[in-house]
Amino acid sequence: MTLKNLQFSYNKFKTDVQSQIARSNPMQKQDTKALSMWIFQERSDLATMRTMAYQRKETVKALKDWIKEEVEEESVENGRDLEDIVGDKLTRLLEKQIEIEQEYASK
């Protein structure tokens, strides 16, 4: 996870530097600068959303694996409750959230 966070931080820093360069470009006319910056920021936001959706998807996978391990270790009744509440309802909710974010980011 730390490598992914480092990569995300690096890409965010790189985007911020590119944004600063674009803002201070003397070759660009003032009327197109605002539009260009808006488009650049939207692209950056979409890339961030895609990255966050991917990270959340990986988190849900890890949560499912953890639930499987816990269910195997727990007694029958406790394992069933854990699987029902966390394993089924929470993961479905998180997967639906990721699906909505990916649809929004792809538009």
Side-chain angles (χ1 to χ4, degrees):
M1 282 304 261
T2 58
L3 182 61
K4 290 179 186 175
N5 290 338
L6 178 63
Q7 183 180 12
F8 176 74
S9 297
Y10 171 73
N11 288 337
K12 183 73 173 152
F13 175 73
K14 189 171 100 176
T15 301
D16 290 344
V17 169
Q18 289 173 343
S19 175
Q20 182 64 32
I21 290 170
R23 265 189 242 120
S24 61
N25 186 358
M27 302 289 282
Q28 194 173 28
K29 293 183 181 177
Q30 198 62 29
D31 57 344
T32 59
K33 187 180 274 191
L35 178 62
S36 177
M37 285 306 303
W38 179 76
I39 291 170
F40 183 79
Q41 282 302 117
E42 287 297 314
R43 285 182 183 165
S44 175
D45 291 344
L46 288 174
T48 302
M49 288 173 62
R50 285 186 196 110
T51 303
M52 295 301 289
Y54 173 77
Q55 288 179 347
R56 286 187 181 128
K57 186 185 267 187
E58 292 298 313
T59 302
V60 170
K61 284 181 187 176
L63 180 65
K64 284 181 180 180
D65 291 342
W66 174 77
I67 291 167
K68 285 179 186 176
E69 291 173 7
E70 289 295 316
V71 167
E72 290 172 0
E73 293 175 6
E74 290 290 326
S75 65
V76 175
E77 186 176 320
N78 290 341
R80 209 175 309 133
D81 289 342
L82 181 67
E83 188 175 20
D84 182 46
I85 294 170
V86 179
D88 187 41
K89 292 177 177 69
L90 181 62
T91 54
R92 262 198 260 157
L93 179 67
L94 290 172
E95 285 173 347
K96 188 65 177 176
Q97 177 187 359
I98 292 167
E99 180 183 321
I100 291 169
E101 288 174 350
Q102 286 177 335
E103 284 179 16
Y104 181 75
S106 68
K107 290 183 180 181

